[in-house]
């Protein structure tokens, strides 16, 4: 809250307390003066704010508060006017607190932005501004520091805490050459990294831009609340005018104006929506504004890309067929030689071997035929790996007669000391979390799930077979994905999930576009309304549930708050509530409505353990 607002609140409270003291001491006329003087600064500030709102073309419902204070002063209800002044200033303070509390998790992301980095130079280390970093720079990251840009690990190991970004509570240990996301905290020993992007182009900078823009968009629900607020103003004036006109008692009209509170509309909706945005961010789901949050809550059709979305997006070892060697030794020799290659298949075999805890010797005399295979020596053995034809030619043998691999699978052959000893099959496997995600999505109200991919139909059908999808569309170009999104809108709001550049048009066309942002292309992240910071499809589920429950809480606050306000106005019109009692009741309704809206911060999605939340 601003200093001016705080000063007005203090002045109103002091005026109320001083006036009460004078009245109890028997100085009622003096008390009336003090209460008037305590009300006028708040009323003046309120009138200035109303004029500014009108200049912007906005009709603020603070008009009700201004009318109630003015009417109370005009008819000698100075105590009621002072109470309304205290309540208004206190409500403004409470609103500022609620907004700040609702944005707490997103603000925590912004607070982590590093200001400087430590770059290696010819003379040692130099402290430089983030904007001075360039791809290729070697950067030192000390214990507890936040990684300043995207890059790759140049040290033997690093322990990274990504909880503030992804909601994953446990630190992750990575090895040399692994990707390092900007914004991760160093939870272990000091390490070096090589920058791959400038600061402004890095993951964390994109997150910061999303967070800063998240609350600027006006949701349809918020705009509807604004329009409903005008109707509420009309109802308030109608009840107040009727109470005065039918009874001839202006005090009843004052009481109606005093108890009228539009806070369920002007405060509850934005507070609940911003709280929902903040809560979703805690689970690694960045939602670009209240409009996207509301759209996410209404999704009924889900369209999924395949590669990198339903599947891992990287080849994984699925089978090893050996002839004269055991599987473990075949994988060890293959991965040892593949250490010399940067091909995705090579990286997949090395990762599989390391995941099994195999020690990989250093290859010697390596010769690579790009796109075909490698030859070299491992612990004195002549080793060749690559396509069956390449390995057969390297060994001087005819190509082996092998049954065809399953659609979408890739087979590599391993030769050792002049003999073919194994065939390794790799494929882009279905994500482990995919079946559970799809089942949970249907429980959350998704009625239709479609696979839309550019892959061949036989590959798409193989992937979709165990999933129970409603429709499989394959061999698509980007414009065809957009056409599917537009066609499916007839069945309800559409959510599209993808991770590649080719998905960007469909993401932009959907009611809700979701980008797998942890590894997805920058174009898809920019086009999407929702970005998943964790490379896991099931992390979208808490985002959907938070959106649904945040919207429900907002509507609940509106219904209960306006209902209580209207009941209070009717009671005041019948003379059952005095202006002072009305002011107190009005503040009670405001507090109850705002506290209820803040319940969105405590939403705990089903199936998400407490440990999954960021600390």
């Amino acid at each position: 809250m601003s200093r001016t607002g705080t000063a007005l609140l203090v002045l109103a409270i002091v005026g109320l307390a001083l006036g009460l003291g004078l009245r109890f001491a028997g100085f009622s006329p003096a008390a009336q003066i003090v209460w008037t003087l305590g009300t006028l600064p708040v009323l003046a500030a309120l009138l200035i704010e109303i004029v500014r709102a009108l200049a912007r073309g906005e009709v603020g419902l603070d008009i009700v508060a201004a009318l109630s204070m003015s009417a109370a002063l005009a008819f000698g209800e100075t105590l009621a006017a002072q109470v309304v002044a205290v309540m208004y200033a206190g409500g403004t303070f409470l609103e500022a607190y609620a907004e700040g509390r609702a944005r707490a998790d997103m603000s925590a992301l912004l607070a982590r932005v590093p200001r400087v980095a430590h770059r290696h130079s010819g003379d040692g280390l130099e402290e430089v501004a983030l904007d001075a970093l360039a791809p290729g720079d070697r950067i030192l990251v000390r214990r507890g520091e936040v990684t300043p840009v995207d890059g790759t690990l140049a040290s033997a190991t690093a322990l990274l805490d990504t909880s503030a970004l992804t909601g994953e509570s446990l630190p992750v240990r990575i090895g040399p050459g692994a990707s390092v996301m900007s914004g991760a905290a160093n939870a272990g020993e000091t390490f070096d990294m090589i920058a791959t992007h400038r600061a402004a182009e890095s993951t964390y900078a994109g997150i910061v831009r999303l967070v800063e823009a998240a609350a600027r968009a006006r949701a349809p629900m918020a705009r509807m609340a604004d329009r409903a607020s005008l109707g509420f103003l009309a109802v308030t004036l109608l009840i107040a005018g009727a109470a005065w006109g039918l009874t001839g008692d202006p005090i009843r009209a004052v009481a109606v104006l005093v108890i009228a509170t539009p806070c369920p509309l002007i405060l509850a909706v934005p507070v609940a929506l911003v709280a929902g945005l903040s809560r979703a961010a805690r689970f690694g789901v960045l939602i670009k504004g209240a409009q996207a949050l509301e759209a996410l809550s209404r999704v009924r059709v889900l369209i999924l890309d395949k590669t990198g979305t339903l599947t891992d997006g990287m080849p994984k070892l699925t089978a090893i067929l050996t002839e004269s060697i055991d599987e473990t030794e075949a994988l060890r020799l293959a991965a040892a030689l593949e250490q010399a290659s940067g091909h995705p298949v090579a990286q997949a075999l090395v990762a599989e071997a390391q995941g099994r805890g195999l020690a990989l010797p250093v290859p010697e005399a390596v010769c690579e035929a790009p796109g075909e295979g490698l030859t070299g020596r491992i612990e004195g053995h002549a080793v060749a790996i690559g396509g069956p034809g390449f390995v057969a030619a390297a060994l001087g043998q005819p190509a082996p007669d092998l049954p065809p691999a399953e659609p979408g699978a890739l087979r590599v052959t391993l030769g050792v000391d002049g003999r073919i000893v194994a065939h390794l099959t790799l494929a882009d496997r279905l994500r482990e979390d995919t079946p559970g995600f799809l089942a949970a999505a249907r429980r959350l109200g998704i009625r239709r799930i479609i696979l839309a991919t550019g892959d061949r139909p036989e590959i798409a059908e193989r992937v979709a077979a165990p999933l129970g999808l409603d429709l499989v569309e394959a061999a698509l170009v980007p414009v065809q994905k957009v056409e599917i999104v537009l066609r499916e809108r007839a069945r309800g709001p559409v959510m599209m999930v993808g991770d590649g550049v080719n998905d960007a048009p469909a993401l932009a066309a959907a009611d809700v576009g979701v980008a797998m942002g942890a590894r997805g292309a920058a174009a898809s992240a920019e086009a999407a309304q929702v970005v998943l910071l964790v490379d896991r499809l099931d992390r979208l589920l808490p985002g959907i549930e938070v959106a649904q429950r945040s919207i429900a809480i907002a509507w609940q606050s509106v219904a209960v708050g306006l209902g209580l306000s209207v009941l209070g106005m009717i009671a005041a019109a019948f003379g059952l509530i005095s202006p002072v009692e009305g002011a107190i009741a009005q503040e009670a309704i405001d507090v109850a409505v705002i506290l209820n809206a803040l319940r969105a911060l405590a939403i705990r999605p089903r199936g998400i353990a407490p440990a999954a939340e960021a600390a």
Side-chain angles (χ1 to χ4, degrees):
M1 190 176 181
S2 67
R3 292 182 179 179
T4 301
T6 303
L8 289 173
L9 176 59
V10 171
L11 181 61
I13 292 174
V14 169
L16 177 62
L18 182 58
L20 290 173
L22 290 171
R23 170 170 283 190
F24 288 135
F27 300 102
S28 294
Q32 298 273 355
I33 295 173
V34 168
W35 286 329
T36 300
L37 294 175
T39 302
L40 288 176
V42 177
L43 179 57
L46 178 55
L47 291 173
I48 292 172
E49 184 59 36
I50 290 172
V51 171
R52 289 175 177 171
L54 292 174
R56 296 192 300 267
E58 301 172 2
V59 180
L61 284 193
D62 289 339
I63 292 173
V64 175
L67 287 174
S68 62
M69 278 187 272
S70 300
L73 289 176
F75 292 103
E77 293 287 339
T78 54
L79 175 56
Q82 182 70 83
V83 171
V84 172
V86 171
M87 298 308 181
Y88 173 78
T92 304
F93 181 87
L94 181 60
E95 177 186 2
Y97 168 79
E99 286 280 347
R101 181 71 182 87
R103 299 175 191 271
D105 293 323
M106 292 194 292
S107 298
L109 283 173
L110 297 177
R112 293 169 53 86
V113 179
R115 305 301 176 192
V116 296
H118 301 96
R119 182 175 61 188
H120 288 275
S121 65
D123 300 327
L125 285 175
E126 58 177 343
E127 187 174 274
V128 297
L130 294 193
D131 291 341
L133 295 176
D137 284 348
R138 190 180 184 95
I139 303 164
L140 179 75
V141 182
R142 299 167 177 165
R143 178 190 288 269
E145 289 184 344
V146 173
T147 52
V149 294
D150 290 347
T152 57
L153 184 65
S155 298
T157 185
L159 189 64
L160 298 179
D161 176 6
T162 62
S163 60
L165 296 173
T166 66
E168 298 291 343
S169 60
L170 297 178
V172 178
R173 186 168 294 281
I174 61 174
S179 297
V180 178
M181 184 192 301
S182 55
N186 180 10
E189 299 302 320
T190 297
F191 64 83
D192 282 351
M193 61 178 288
I194 304 298
T196 57
H197 294 77
R198 295 186 179 276
E201 301 165 350
S202 291
T203 299
Y204 200 68
I207 293 171
V208 169
R209 287 195 296 271
L210 293 183
V211 171
E212 289 176 335
R216 288 203 292 264
R218 298 283 290 165
M221 181 180 180
R223 292 194 296 267
M224 185 168 60
D226 289 342
R227 292 192 294 269
S229 296
L230 296 178
F232 181 81
L233 174 59
V235 170
T236 299
L237 295 177
L238 179 63
I239 294 176
W244 187 357
L246 294 176
T247 67
D249 184 2
I251 302 304
R252 293 193 183 191
V254 172
V256 170
L257 292 173
V258 165
I259 199 173
T261 171
C263 287
L265 286 167
I266 63 176
L267 294 183
V269 170
V271 166
L273 296 182
V274 173
L277 295 173
S278 189
R279 188 61 175 164
R282 178 170 283 265
F283 294 102
V285 183
L286 281 185
I287 302 174
K288 299 182 183 179
Q291 184 170 355
L293 181 82
E294 186 174 352
L296 185 61
S297 73
R298 298 183 291 106
V299 164
R300 293 296 176 265
V301 179
L302 172 60
I303 301 176
L304 297 159
D305 177 44
K306 182 185 75 68
T307 305
T309 303
L310 281 183
T311 65
D312 289 314
M314 296 289 289
K316 298 289 182 66
L317 182 65
T318 59
I320 302 177
L321 175 64
T322 61
E323 297 184 7
S324 58
I325 189 174
D326 67 67
E327 290 188 6
T328 300
E329 182 64 9
L331 176 60
R332 188 181 76 89
L333 291 174
L337 183 57
E338 293 282 29
Q339 291 178 103
S341 174
H343 193 277
V345 170
Q347 296 175 354
L349 291 175
V350 172
E352 180 71 22
Q354 292 176 337
R356 297 188 186 187
L358 302 181
L360 301 181
V362 177
E364 300 175 344
V366 177
C367 180
E368 180 173 8
E372 297 187 52
L374 298 92
T375 60
R377 301 193 68 81
I378 304 295
E379 296 176 332
H381 297 284
V383 179
I385 188 168
F390 170 82
V391 174
L395 301 182
Q397 298 182 5
D401 184 16
L402 299 171
E406 63 181 359
L410 174 69
R411 182 174 286 138
V412 296
T413 296
L414 175 67
V416 180
D417 292 332
R419 294 181 298 113
I420 291 177
V421 298
H423 305 282
L424 299 89
T425 302
L426 298 95
D428 184 11
R429 294 189 300 195
L430 197 67
R431 290 177 182 269
E432 293 181 359
D433 61 348
T434 296
F437 163 77
L438 296 178
R442 292 192 187 276
R443 290 195 296 270
L444 289 173
I446 305 294
R447 295 194 294 259
R448 184 170 169 83
I449 302 178
I450 298 170
L451 172 61
T453 178
D455 273 345
R456 301 193 308 272
E458 60 270 23
I459 298 175
E461 292 292 347
R462 177 182 63 82
V463 170
L467 300 178
L469 303 181
D470 297 291
L471 181 65
V472 177
E473 298 272 12
L476 301 174
V477 296
V479 68
Q480 290 174 312
K481 290 187 177 183
V482 173
E483 291 171 355
I484 291 173
V485 168
L486 299 179
R487 181 192 73 205
E488 292 296 325
R489 274 186 169 168
R491 301 175 184 268
V494 175
M495 175 165 61
M496 169 76 192
V497 184
D499 79 327
V501 173
N502 64 324
D503 296 320
L507 294 176
D511 296 280
V512 180
V514 180
M516 305 288 286
R519 195 176 63 203
S524 62
E526 290 294 330
Q529 290 81 45
V530 177
V531 176
L532 301 183
L533 296 180
V534 184
D535 196 24
R536 287 172 48 185
L537 189 58
D538 65 349
R539 193 46 68 90
L540 180 58
L541 295 172
I544 296 173
E545 189 169 348
V546 166
Q548 291 176 344
R549 294 169 64 181
S550 297
I551 297 299
I553 287 172
W555 280 122
Q556 180 188 83
S557 297
V558 168
V560 173
L562 288 186
L564 291 174
S565 296
V566 171
L567 289 176
M569 287 191 288
I570 293 172
F574 280 96
L576 302 177
I577 296 177
S578 70
V580 173
E581 293 168 340
I584 296 173
Q586 180 246 26
E587 186 65 12
I589 294 172
D590 287 357
V591 171
V593 163
I594 291 176
L595 292 180
N596 185 68
L598 284 175
R599 286 174 46 231
L601 287 173
I603 293 173
R604 189 181 299 282
R606 290 180 288 273
I608 298 293
E613 297 185 39

